[in-house]
Amino acid sequence: MSESRLVIPVGEHDHSEGAANAPLTLVEYGDYECPYCGRAYPIVKRLQKEFGSTLRFVFRNFPLSQIHEHARAAAQAAEAAAQQGRFWEMHDLLFENQQNLGNGDLLAYAKSLHLDSARFEKDFSDPAVVKHIRDDFRNGVRSGVNGTPSFYVNNVKYDESWEFESFKEWLLSSVAA
Amino acid sequence: MSILKAGTKAPEFSLPSTPDQKVSLSEFRGQPVILVFYPADWSPVCGDQLALYNELHEEFAAFNAELIGISVDGVWCHLALAKDRKYHFPLLSDAHPQGAVSRLYGVFREEDGVSARALFVIDAEGIIRWSYLSPIGVNPGADGILAALEALPKREGVAS
């Protein structure tokens, strides 16, 4: 299909790192249990370091829950942590511990971040949190997400290699454009 | 050979889904059908593509649409894949004669003997409303399918 674009622009509802007016916005649709997303995780970190204030990074949920049994719960854990302002810490913990995403593990990560456990558990199954994840998923499909991870650079789907060097080159050329 | 286009009547077929069961297109008259032709079971791109469609079970059900996968793999191979990936939809075997149904739809690859990666949305009357041939190594996603389902005329008799 021709060029796919984000149907929902990056906004208030998103989790983002970096300045809103950064010349580059990188959006990832990802699944915490997906091994490819796990491999992309340190690459994105390196890109963030490399580009500094030039790059804003946004993560949206795309749990493939039929093949990854913990993917949806992991996404809920990150969204619940977000309710206490700790989305990115949880996001990082999940990707750094992809093999351990059972409910007990998720609770332990919440504790290690000193989250209010009762509130975390309540937010974890809050219908608004569940809906947020579902909305990310649906909008992702409409934007042409065809697997995970799917990346968008300044609203346009990036279908080339996301290995560090190739991705970096592409971002450099995008910022110059 | 070129892919059948929108407006064409979808050719009838009857293909095995298990060693002792066949599925015919005409069984689904009265509801939309999404036909997904793909090259091979277990190959990574198809895996991702079918995993995505499996995840969209509810979205397709909202259109009362049935999704059917077709490749030239045998029924045992299909059964093993469907069980492993927990698919909610049938996989049909176009193995004998190899690719016969894929040929009817204009999506058989003579050069390597497999189905191309192609999508069809067929309406409740059995007319193709949308078709798409994807490059073989590219997962076409589901946005085209959902747009085609949305564009189908609303069924008569559905309360407005």
Side-chain angles (χ1 to χ4, degrees), chain B residues 56-98:
Chain B
L56 288 166
H57 184 64
E58 282 173 38
E59 269 73 9
F60 296 147
F63 293 96
N64 191 30
E66 202 67 45
L67 187 137
I68 298 170
I70 301 179
S71 77
V72 299
D73 295 286
V75 287
W76 293 106
C77 186
H78 275 343
L79 286 174
L81 181 73
K83 184 169 179 234
D84 184 70
R85 306 279 163 85
K86 306 186 186 80
Y87 288 157
H88 297 293
F89 47 81
L91 297 177
L92 307 187
S93 170
D94 195 14
H96 182 69
Q98 177 126 340

Side-chain angles (χ1 to χ4, degrees), chain A residues 2-62:
Chain A
S2 58
E3 182 183 271
S4 297
R5 303 179 72 91
L6 289 179
V7 294
I8 305 285
V10 172
E12 287 295 312
H13 52 279
D14 282 305
H15 303 295
S16 67
E17 278 187 319
N21 62 357
L24 288 172
T25 293
L26 173 63
V27 175
E28 175 183 357
Y29 277 91
D31 169 326
Y32 293 109
E33 200 177 346
C34 158
Y36 299 100
C37 299
R39 220 162 64 68
Y41 165 74
I43 296 174
V44 170
K45 286 273 182 229
R46 251 182 101 188
L47 290 169
Q48 287 183 279
K49 207 167 194 178
E50 179 86 15
F51 284 87
S53 60
T54 315
L55 179 76
R56 170 170 61 156
F57 176 57
V58 171
F59 185 87
R60 290 179 173 174
N61 299 292
F62 205 81

Side-chain angles (χ1 to χ4, degrees), chain A residues 10 20 41 43-44 69 74 88 95 109 140 172:
Chain A
V10 172
Y41 165 74
I43 296 174
V44 170
E69 61 173 323
W88 289 104
F95 275 130
Y109 302 147
L172 280 172

Side-chain angles (χ1 to χ4, degrees), chain A residues 30-139:
Chain A
D31 169 326
Y32 293 109
E33 200 177 346
C34 158
Y36 299 100
C37 299
R39 220 162 64 68
Y41 165 74
I43 296 174
V44 170
K45 286 273 182 229
R46 251 182 101 188
L47 290 169
Q48 287 183 279
K49 207 167 194 178
E50 179 86 15
F51 284 87
S53 60
T54 315
L55 179 76
R56 170 170 61 156
F57 176 57
V58 171
F59 185 87
R60 290 179 173 174
N61 299 292
F62 205 81
L64 292 168
S65 57
Q66 304 287 327
I67 44 172
H68 299 140
E69 61 173 323
H70 305 301
R72 197 175 284 161
Q76 287 170 240
E79 293 299 332
Q83 300 295 318
Q84 298 183 49
R86 310 294 292 276
F87 174 81
W88 289 104
E89 290 90 335
M90 183 61 88
H91 163 277
D92 291 0
L93 274 175
L94 296 170
F95 275 130
E96 285 159 19
N97 297 279
Q98 278 200 303
Q99 307 306 318
N100 301 298
L101 299 176
N103 284 351
D105 300 313
L106 300 178
L107 269 175
Y109 302 147
K111 285 210 174 79
S112 75
L113 294 174
H114 306 292
L115 299 182
D116 173 339
S117 292
R119 184 171 169 208
F120 176 81
E121 287 190 57
K122 186 170 154 285
D123 290 339
F124 180 87
S125 30
D126 183 343
V129 158
V130 174
K131 183 176 179 298
H132 178 111
I133 296 165
R134 195 69 202 166
D135 286 349
D136 274 0
F137 187 90
R138 286 188 177 149
N139 297 329

Side-chain angles (χ1 to χ4, degrees), chain A residues 134-153:
Chain A
R134 195 69 202 166
D135 286 349
D136 274 0
F137 187 90
R138 286 188 177 149
N139 297 329
V141 171
R142 288 315 182 108
S143 305
V145 172
N146 51 3
T148 51
S150 279
F151 290 103
Y152 292 76
V153 175

